Amino acid sequence: MNIASKQPVQNARETLAVLMGSACVIPVLTIERLEDAVPLAKALVAGGVRVLEVTLRTPVAIEAATAIMAEVPEATVGIGTILNADDLARAEALGAKFGISPGATPDLLKAAAASGLPFAPGIATASELMQALAYGFNLVKFFPAEQSGGIKALRALAGPFPDARFCPTGGIGETNAASWLGEPNVVAVGGSWLCPAADIRAGNWAGITAICNRTMKSLKPA
Ligand code: 3PG
């Protein structure tokens, strides 16, 4: 069987492309205290940022994502830092709208292809991208984007892989988000700059909304 032609992957990848394309920017959320989850999500939504990646990097991540889904209906919640099939199953079980991984192991790709959850594996090299494509994932996270060669590296990958689409993440911020989004094969960009750890710790929700507003304005000038 041609694994790239499996129907669930086909539908899921279209869903993911629409979702990411409409978002433009996807904040990478690391939530340390459960009580920060809802005010943080509300601050992001208030700044026009509605597609949120809650990373599985803290013990409260799953509860935090669940709370946001229950209390901030304007937000579209996905799960990030999916490292294996168990993480993927947890994301699906809580009703995440999408999943993102920093990498692409064969086991994870296989599980994701079977699950039907809109999923972006992470790639940094041509071989990793080939592996993701073989499982039907043509929209991938380019990670770590700046550290892996930046826009020049992405352009180089566009040559042999004209059908691949990317969500670059890693080292992206207010000053370079627009340049990345100007690339024809970039669907959205991700990063933590929209929700700095210091602002979350300080409960500076207005500051986070302000970063979102500035970023969104810089991407879509009036
Ligand atoms: C990620 O997992 O996508 C990165 O940790 C985000 O990278 P950044 O902190 O440089 O935005």
Side-chain angles (χ1 to χ4, degrees):
M1 179 176 59
N2 175 4
I3 49 181
S5 67
K6 288 182 77 173
Q7 202 56 33
V9 180
Q10 179 71 24
N11 295 339
R13 82 182 191 189
E14 280 159 17
T15 305
L16 186 67
V18 170
L19 211 146
M20 283 191 168
S22 68
C24 279
V25 297
I26 301 177
V28 175
L29 275 51
T30 300
I31 300 171
E32 282 161 2
R33 298 177 305 206
L34 183 55
E35 62 267 33
D36 291 336
V38 168
L40 171 59
K42 285 183 174 169
L44 292 160
V45 166
V49 173
R50 297 186 184 84
V51 177
L52 316 181
E53 174 189 341
V54 178
T55 62
L56 294 179
R57 294 181 198 177
T58 64
V60 301
I62 290 287
E63 273 183 280
T66 305
I68 295 169
M69 287 166 60
E71 294 180 48
V72 192
E74 308 93 320
T76 298
V77 179
I79 294 293
T81 318
I82 290 179
L83 302 183
N84 51 49
D86 283 350
D87 290 344
L88 189 83
R90 288 158 76 203
E92 275 196 288
L94 75 87
K97 293 286 185 281
F98 62 97
I100 299 185
S101 177
T105 66
D107 279 354
L108 178 56
L109 289 168
K110 199 173 166 191
S115 80
L117 179 74
F119 179 73
I123 70 96
T125 68
S127 294
E128 290 160 3
L129 179 53
M130 285 162 68
Q131 193 155 244
L133 290 168
Y135 280 87
F137 297 100
N138 72 334
L139 172 48
V140 299
K141 166 169 166 152
F142 178 42
F143 176 77
E146 283 290 337
Q147 298 86 338
S148 300
I151 288 177
K152 278 187 183 170
L154 189 80
R155 285 183 184 161
L157 286 171
F161 305 107
D163 296 333
R165 296 290 174 268
F166 299 90
C167 176
T169 310
I172 296 176
E174 272 181 66
T175 54
N176 60 357
S179 307
W180 279 100
L181 282 165
E183 294 298 305
N185 54 3
V186 169
V187 173
V189 294
S192 60
W193 86 93
L194 296 153
C195 45
D199 284 331
I200 299 176
R201 268 184 221 119
N204 183 13
W205 311 126
I208 287 173
T209 300
I211 296 171
C212 294
N213 278 328
R214 273 203 311 273
T215 298
M216 296 313 279
K217 204 171 164 196
S218 77
L219 300 179
K220 293 176 190 161

